[in-house]
Amino acid sequence: MSARVLVTDAEERAALAACRGLSKAGYRVSAVACSRPAATHWSRACAQRFLLPDPRESTQAFAAGLEELLDRGDYAALIPGSGASLLAISENRERLGQFTRLGLPSREAIRKSMDKVLLLRAAAAAGLPAPPSRPCASLSEADAADAVLGYSVYL
């Protein structure tokens, strides 16, 4: 039997691509979603399908669900498919890392990589242009930014 890998965020196209590539490389892929339908769950590249709480709504419930899955199976690796999952896994690395390899950089590196304002500053310091951006700390600030920028705003 080939090595098993657990991939999160089965709703995302990137997770589907990861599952297809891993399956083609000989891994037996299990995929976690937090909503249905999940494109990866429909794929032949996905050997097992699981539904867990959304890490954006409850980091602890998501981590507890992953812990249960990892404890029941013999997974060679846990691969996060989104920033929210990456952050939840990183913040719970002690409890999840006892079951499988996580391959994560430090918590601080992950936290910094998730800070969009810090990334904008780092890009500017490196001479990389970024799209027009405005930091928002409230819904009213997001509404004002949307009125000026004219496209989707993330809070």
Side-chain angles (χ1 to χ4, degrees):
M1 185 200 276
S2 59
R4 295 172 65 198
V5 177
L6 184 61
V7 177
T8 68
D9 303 285
E11 309 87 351
E12 304 296 331
R13 289 183 193 167
L16 175 57
C19 286
R20 287 176 175 165
L22 288 163
S23 178
K24 190 172 184 176
Y27 290 92
R28 187 164 183 251
V29 182
S30 299
V32 171
C34 41
S35 67
R36 289 186 185 167
T40 305
H41 282 176
W42 290 78
S43 173
R44 289 175 293 189
C46 181
Q48 289 184 296
R49 297 144 184 88
F50 301 106
L51 191 62
L52 290 180
D54 191 324
R56 295 168 297 182
E57 293 175 11
S58 176
T59 299
Q60 292 305 311
F62 176 73
L66 285 177
E67 183 176 20
E68 184 179 324
L69 291 175
L70 293 169
D71 186 35
R72 289 189 312 199
D74 182 25
Y75 292 98
L78 170 60
I79 301 174
S82 72
S85 292
L86 172 62
L87 192 56
I89 291 166
S90 176
E91 295 298 320
N92 291 279
R93 63 180 61 212
E94 287 80 14
R95 71 194 274 196
L96 300 175
Q98 64 183 325
F99 300 104
T100 190
R101 283 177 280 185
L102 301 177
L104 299 176
S106 70
R107 273 190 178 88
E108 186 61 23
I110 289 175
R111 288 176 185 153
K112 284 182 177 180
S113 73
M114 301 297 290
D115 185 332
K116 303 305 182 204
V117 173
L118 183 61
L119 288 176
L120 285 172
R121 290 183 189 140
L128 298 172
S133 304
R134 293 192 179 198
C136 303
S138 68
L139 288 176
S140 61
E141 288 180 8
D143 285 339
D146 183 53
V148 172
L149 298 174
Y151 51 84
S152 298
V153 175
Y154 297 92
L155 187 58

